[in-house]
Amino acid sequence: MCCTLCCPAVKLSSPLLELRIFKSHNFTLGTIFLIFAYGSMLSVSTLIPIYIQNLRHYSATISGLVLLPGALFLAFLNPLCGRILDKKGPYILSLAGLALLGGATLGLSSIGAETPLITIIIIYAFRMLGVVALLQPLQTWAVNSVQSKYVAHGTALMNTVRQVGGSIISALLVTVMSSSAKSHGDIAGIKTSFLVTSIIVFISFAVCAFLMHPKRTAGKETENKEKVSYAPKNPPEHTIITIAREYGSGGREIGLKTAQALGIPFYDRELIAMEARECGLSDNYVESFEEGVSFRNTAWDWAAQSYGTFETHLFNTGNLSEVDLLYQAQKRVIQRISQEGSCVIIGRCADYILKDYPGCLRIFICSDLNQKRQRIQSEYGIALEKTDITMKIKDGQRAFHHKRYTGQVWGNPSNYHMVLNSSLLGIDRCVRLILEGIHQ
């Protein structure tokens, strides 16, 4: 009787972790950078308490208070770095993070037995600012280089390797401290370990400056994007128009007139029943909460921005919230109707869902503040004193919803083919420009 374990033919058709993504040069390089950065963070976070408690003879409470400002930097500045990353990209942010990390670590290598604790607090806080500026851009740059179907594998692999590799690097640097301390004393051992850490960071800075430069990686990124394009085997000849719009900008009216001019279906409120059937929620729920923001969603996103995807799972019960179920249903419905024929789709992250779909024209409609106020009052019957707060809530929900499910900035011109200001151009002119864009 053949033993299953001895049979060479036994093989998982779908591996738990797809190791072939390490063939991606950028992913492998980014992972290596993350290992050294994370190991550097862990080692210094280990060595400073040893220095404060064992060599300076302060209590564990004092040691924790010295590290507290740096920990607060790590927790609360991550969202700010995320916004900078969206606008400027990972290159400048990564170099700034490595420069801060290396400079602050070099500063720690000069500490002595009489160094004031406030000096260590300031240096460590700036060092953690470097960590904040470094970890998120590196992870984004690396994961974006793999095919879309492997993104989940890439994130899981990167977080696992980061944790394990960072722990190994940290242990090695502690070993450096112990070896140097035997010959030159404990303070010298601490300083040597900090010096070695700063050298590693500056080497990483040089490598990162050369290999992460946008001009050098642009060709490879373009090649990867071509590989992951979403397109059916037989590309359709029809056109899909997606319209994202600010509240009160007249985007729905523009979409409706465009659909009428072309004689094609128009999907906005018509999607509600389709989405409700798809996810098993009521029509009323879909209409009320399709772009809503719950406390649970907000907590998960804050955790993801502050601590990374791996740690976010600690907050996740494993069950999709209703908002998550609704988005997945919207995605399936939008992909299905986009294959059936030409149409106009309003909102619902359709521009992102169909961003690689052949024949998709992505539009964003904005408007001046006064024009939006007038439209909201006349069309929706909202009182003058409530228009501004209503606009802020509605647009805030749309921006948050878009960021949560696409990772992109809502309204960023680089994500659309056309950005039209309805107050400057007028509704009819916007429609004509869209029609011209289709023909071109």
Side-chain angles (χ1 to χ4, degrees), residues 243-255 257-258 363-376 379-380 391 398 418-434:
I243 296 182
R245 77 287 184 214
E246 292 180 346
Y247 187 69
S249 65
R252 187 179 189 280
E253 183 181 353
I254 292 171
K257 288 191 173 184
T258 302
I363 312 293
F364 187 83
I365 306 295
C366 59
S367 182
D368 293 345
L369 188 60
N370 288 332
Q371 291 288 335
K372 288 195 291 185
R373 287 192 183 114
Q374 294 175 11
R375 182 179 293 275
I376 291 171
E379 292 193 8
Y380 305 121
M391 274 191 292
R398 290 173 181 175
M418 301 173 69
V419 176
L420 305 175
N421 189 318
S422 60
S423 60
L424 295 177
L425 298 170
I427 298 296
D428 293 336
R429 179 59 178 160
C430 287
V431 173
R432 286 197 298 272
L433 287 174
I434 294 173

Side-chain angles (χ1 to χ4, degrees), residues 116-237:
L117 290 186
I118 187 63
T119 302
I120 298 174
I121 292 173
I122 294 172
I123 295 175
Y124 183 75
F126 274 98
R127 191 178 185 281
M128 293 307 289
L129 179 59
V131 172
V132 171
L134 179 63
L135 292 183
Q136 192 177 104
L138 276 180
Q139 183 163 345
T140 302
W141 177 70
V143 172
N144 283 347
S145 67
V146 303
Q147 297 183 31
S148 57
K149 62 181 179 180
Y150 294 140
V151 167
H153 291 274
T155 303
L157 271 173
M158 178 169 290
N159 282 297
T160 302
V161 172
R162 182 191 72 183
Q163 302 269 349
V164 175
S167 299
I168 294 173
I169 296 294
S170 176
L172 291 175
L173 291 172
V174 172
T175 302
V176 169
M177 179 205 71
S178 300
S179 300
S180 179
K182 290 180 181 179
S183 304
H184 305 92
D186 293 335
I187 292 290
I190 292 281
K191 295 169 68 174
T192 301
S193 183
F194 285 149
L195 181 61
V196 171
T197 303
S198 63
I199 292 173
I200 292 174
V201 174
F202 283 127
I203 292 174
S204 299
F205 177 89
V207 176
C208 178
F210 180 75
L211 296 179
M212 275 187 69
H213 196 280
K215 292 182 179 179
R216 296 183 179 276
T217 59
K220 294 180 180 178
E221 290 175 357
T222 301
E223 180 181 351
N224 287 330
K225 287 181 180 179
E226 289 175 356
K227 291 180 180 179
V228 302
S229 293
Y230 166 72
K233 294 182 179 179
N234 298 311
E237 297 180 356

Side-chain angles (χ1 to χ4, degrees), residues 18-72:
E18 182 55 75
L19 299 179
R20 283 177 291 185
I21 60 177
F22 281 111
K23 292 181 180 179
S24 169
H25 176 268
N26 288 354
F27 179 81
T28 304
L29 187 64
T31 303
I32 293 173
F33 281 152
L34 275 173
I35 289 174
F36 283 108
Y38 200 68
S40 170
M41 182 183 73
L42 290 178
S43 64
V44 173
S45 299
T46 302
L47 293 175
I48 286 183
I50 293 175
Y51 164 77
I52 294 174
Q53 294 174 231
N54 295 357
L55 306 184
R56 300 290 296 272
H57 306 293
Y58 286 103
S59 66
T61 301
I62 298 297
S63 177
L65 291 174
V66 169
L67 300 180
L68 179 61
L72 293 177

Side-chain angles (χ1 to χ4, degrees), residues 208-423:
C208 178
F210 180 75
L211 296 179
M212 275 187 69
H213 196 280
K215 292 182 179 179
R216 296 183 179 276
T217 59
K220 294 180 180 178
E221 290 175 357
T222 301
E223 180 181 351
N224 287 330
K225 287 181 180 179
E226 289 175 356
K227 291 180 180 179
V228 302
S229 293
Y230 166 72
K233 294 182 179 179
N234 298 311
E237 297 180 356
H238 53 257
T239 299
I240 308 297
I241 303 169
T242 65
I243 296 182
R245 77 287 184 214
E246 292 180 346
Y247 187 69
S249 65
R252 187 179 189 280
E253 183 181 353
I254 292 171
L256 180 58
K257 288 191 173 184
T258 302
Q260 291 172 345
L262 294 171
I264 60 177
F266 172 77
Y267 292 102
D268 182 16
R269 297 180 61 84
E270 295 81 2
L271 286 173
I272 292 176
M274 300 171 67
E275 295 162 359
R277 288 194 299 269
E278 188 75 24
C279 63
L281 298 171
S282 69
D283 291 14
N284 291 335
Y285 181 90
V286 174
E287 186 173 5
S288 302
F289 299 104
E290 60 178 346
E291 293 181 345
V293 181
S294 69
F295 175 77
R296 180 187 183 193
N297 297 142
T298 306
W300 288 2
D301 286 332
W302 180 84
Q305 290 179 330
S306 300
Y307 301 106
T309 305
F310 181 80
E311 291 85 349
T312 306
H313 294 316
L314 297 175
F315 296 87
N316 195 339
T317 61
N319 299 318
L320 289 175
S321 68
E322 288 83 359
V323 178
D324 295 327
L325 286 172
L326 181 54
Y327 175 74
Q328 295 301 326
Q330 289 172 349
K331 185 175 180 179
R332 291 191 296 270
V333 169
I334 288 170
Q335 288 177 338
R336 188 165 63 243
I337 64 177
S338 68
Q339 296 176 11
E340 294 174 353
S342 299
C343 62
V344 176
I345 303 175
I346 298 293
R348 296 170 175 83
C349 298
D351 47 51
Y352 177 81
I353 294 170
L354 302 176
K355 63 185 176 67
D356 296 318
Y357 194 86
C360 178
L361 182 64
R362 303 187 302 277
I363 312 293
F364 187 83
I365 306 295
C366 59
S367 182
D368 293 345
L369 188 60
N370 288 332
Q371 291 288 335
K372 288 195 291 185
R373 287 192 183 114
Q374 294 175 11
R375 182 179 293 275
I376 291 171
Q377 293 171 44
S378 61
E379 292 193 8
Y380 305 121
I382 296 176
L384 175 62
E385 61 273 12
K386 295 183 178 180
T387 54
D388 285 0
I389 188 64
T390 303
M391 274 191 292
K392 184 176 181 180
I393 292 174
K394 291 290 186 180
D395 286 343
Q397 287 180 337
R398 290 173 181 175
F400 185 94
H401 182 272
H402 194 83
K403 177 70 174 179
R404 172 179 170 80
Y405 291 109
T406 71
Q408 297 181 347
V409 177
W410 181 71
N412 187 333
S414 63
N415 298 329
Y416 306 92
H417 294 112
M418 301 173 69
V419 176
L420 305 175
N421 189 318
S422 60
S423 60

